[in-house]
Amino acid sequence: MQLMVGFEKYMKSTNLDQTLLELVKTRASQINGCAFCLDMHTKDARANGETEQRLYGLNAWRETDYYTARERSALELTEVITEIATQDVSDDLYDNVREFFDEKDFVDLVYAINTINSWNRLAITMRAVPGKYQPKK
């Protein structure tokens, strides 16, 4: 558990903004069907100023204009990494993401995506019960 918490602490020290991180965490949790993490990260996103419209539209982000090009590239990478067994990070996707993220930020984004996927798997496997989480004030 301390290792996972260490990843979270590290994420707070990166240049990646909290809005982007919560979108990534929420989108991966949607794909993985992790109710506990969806509850947590939508609450954290709202507490951080995220709009209901963007949260509700997240699973259809390609069909909306609510997200920046940078966010879109991160969301696409999130989907591909989350479903890596059935997809590959294409050269086009890699190039697109690298337009918006320098080397360090790209690596941090990949770690963030992998971290939420690990949290999803832990929460689902350990039967974490959603609903009680409240964001820190």
Side-chain angles (χ1 to χ4, degrees), residues 64-124:
T64 70
D65 60 358
Y66 313 149
Y67 310 97
T68 67
R70 185 173 195 260
E71 291 168 338
R72 289 173 175 281
S73 70
L75 289 169
E76 185 171 2
L77 185 64
T78 299
E79 290 180 355
V80 169
I81 290 174
T82 299
E83 298 178 336
I84 198 77
T86 61
Q87 301 184 64
D88 187 28
V89 179
S90 69
D91 291 341
D92 288 343
L93 175 56
Y94 177 86
D95 291 343
N96 179 269
V97 173
R98 290 308 307 276
E99 284 183 39
F100 299 100
F101 296 89
D102 65 20
E103 184 71 23
K104 182 182 181 322
D105 290 348
F106 172 72
V107 171
D108 288 342
L109 178 60
V110 171
Y111 275 106
I113 295 166
N114 280 284
T115 300
I116 188 56
N117 274 282
S118 293
W119 278 122
N120 289 164
R121 283 151 178 76
L122 289 168
I124 291 167

Side-chain angles (χ1 to χ4, degrees), residues 42-59:
T42 55
K43 287 176 180 175
D44 283 345
R46 281 188 205 96
N48 191 46
E50 187 59 83
T51 67
E52 297 293 318
Q53 183 182 42
R54 283 171 36 107
L55 288 174
Y56 296 153
L58 189 56
N59 66 339

Side-chain angles (χ1 to χ4, degrees), residues 8-21:
E8 289 300 324
K9 281 184 183 176
Y10 175 75
M11 284 301 120
K12 290 181 179 169
S13 75
T14 69
N15 295 325
L16 300 175
D17 65 84
Q18 199 59 39
T19 299
L20 177 73
L21 287 172

